[in-house]
Structure formats: structure tokens, C-alpha cells
Amino acid sequence: VKTDHVNQWRSSFDEFLSQVDFGEVTWQKELESGVTHDVILATAAARQADLLVMGTTGRSQVARILLGSTTRRILRRLPCAVIVSVEGEDTREFCELVDGVSRSGVAQAIEVNISCPNVKAGGIVFGTDLKAAFGLLSAVRKATKLPVIAKLSPNVTDITEFARAARDAGCDGLSLINTLLGMSIDVR
């Protein structure tokens, strides 16, 4: 990666961070360049990471198990626990992904993202419909023996109802929360 590109990325990242209110959350900015899987592995080793959460990509071929090439390279060499986060467009796809992760042996738990508003046909529908959430999470629970963590949406009237539904569906834990819906108005 050329130095001018790295400097441009750092500048853009700094500008973005200056606009975010992190409240009391402690964080540290890092922007690294290099081969993605090598950088992630080196950072995890340097920080003596106990856990790495990896997302999934490419739902088109379950035979490739849901994992992109970067994720596969990392998982082969990672010396710590892994939670794989899955999202799907319907119950069948969620269950296929969960089954694939389970059979792969790479994860110690699965996070089921029912709240992602970026998923066309599923995601936010599951995350804001109590009956749909319960049905999906019950089906996912049957598809794996691994611990299941339900990632809930904050965009509901009473999130405790969804937490109870996740518990009743057999989930082992909750991940709170995903994207907050909102609006930004530029008055200029």
C-alpha cells in the first residue's frame, strides 16, 4: 500500500472519529496496512487476545461454508476462542450457515444477528417481529449444539420481550445491541 493512501485513510478515519461521541467508552484507534489476515493475527498475538469475533461473507455457496478467504486464513492459525456471527435472509439460510459453522469446528459459539438492517429480506424483520424472532432462533437452536448468542435490535418498543423470546427459544446468551436507526439532517 502506498504511503499517500495510508495517510489519506488515516486522515479520513480521524475526521470520522472527530464526529463520533463515544461517551464513557474506552477505545483505541489503529489503522494498519498489510496482508489483512497477517495483520489481524499479529495484532491478536501482540495483544494476547482471548477472543476474536469474525463476521461471515459470501452466502452464495454454503459449500465454501460462509467464510471468506481472510477469515479462513485467520481461523486456521488463531490461538484463541472464536465466535462466528451469521446473518441470513430467511430461516433456511440462517440454519444452513449455522450448520456449516458447527460442522467446520472453527467456532466455540455462534452469534445470530437478527437485527442487521442491511439484510434485504430478513434481518430487521426478524429483529422487530417477536414471533418471527422466536421461530428463527428456535430453528437455529435445533441446527447446532454450539452456544447460540442472539444479537438483538434496539429498534423495538420493549427489548426485554425479545430477550425472553431468545431465552425461550434456547439461546445461551444475548448480544446487545446492533444498529440504532436514526436520522441526520445537514442544515447547510
Side-chain angles (χ1 to χ4, degrees):
V1 178
K2 295 181 179 179
T3 304
D4 56 329
H5 287 127
V6 172
N7 290 335
Q8 182 180 359
W9 293 333
R10 287 185 198 280
S11 176
S12 296
F13 196 49
D14 287 341
E15 181 181 337
F16 166 76
L17 291 175
S18 71
Q19 298 173 25
V20 178
D21 178 11
F22 289 97
E24 295 182 25
V25 175
T26 301
W27 60 277
Q28 179 178 342
K29 174 187 78 168
E30 286 192 33
L31 179 60
E32 303 288 342
S33 62
V35 178
T36 306
H37 63 273
D38 289 336
V39 171
I40 292 171
L41 287 165
T43 302
R47 292 180 182 253
Q48 299 178 336
D50 294 320
L51 174 68
L52 183 66
V53 178
M54 298 293 300
T56 61
T57 60
R59 294 186 296 261
S60 61
Q61 290 185 342
V62 177
R64 276 198 269 162
I65 200 162
L66 75 114
L67 302 176
S69 60
T70 296
T71 304
R72 282 197 309 271
R73 286 182 183 118
I74 291 168
L75 293 176
R76 278 191 229 127
R77 300 188 288 174
L78 197 63
C80 63
V82 174
I83 297 174
V84 174
S85 182
V86 299
E87 60 183 49
E89 293 193 14
D90 54 36
T91 300
R92 178 197 54 76
E93 186 173 49
F94 268 101
C95 288
E96 285 179 357
L97 293 170
V98 166
D99 179 60
V101 171
S102 298
R103 286 185 292 109
S104 74
V106 300
Q108 284 69 47
I110 299 173
E111 178 190 69
V112 180
N113 186 352
I114 65 169
S115 67
C116 184
N118 301 326
V119 179
K120 293 185 287 192
I124 202 68
V125 173
F126 289 115
T128 59
D129 181 318
L130 193 59
K131 189 174 180 179
F134 177 80
L136 170 68
L137 294 170
S138 294
V140 165
R141 175 71 277 165
K142 292 174 186 170
T144 185
K145 292 181 180 176
L146 290 174
V148 174
I149 302 163
K151 186 170 194 174
L152 303 182
S153 172
N155 302 306
V156 295
T157 304
D158 185 357
I159 198 169
T160 63
E161 292 177 348
F162 287 83
R164 282 190 210 76
R167 177 199 61 204
D168 294 346
C171 291
D172 302 287
L174 300 173
S175 176
L176 305 175
I177 55 176
N178 200 7
T179 307
L180 291 163
L181 296 180
M183 179 177 11
S184 175
I185 300 173
D186 185 353
V187 294
R188 289 178 266 178

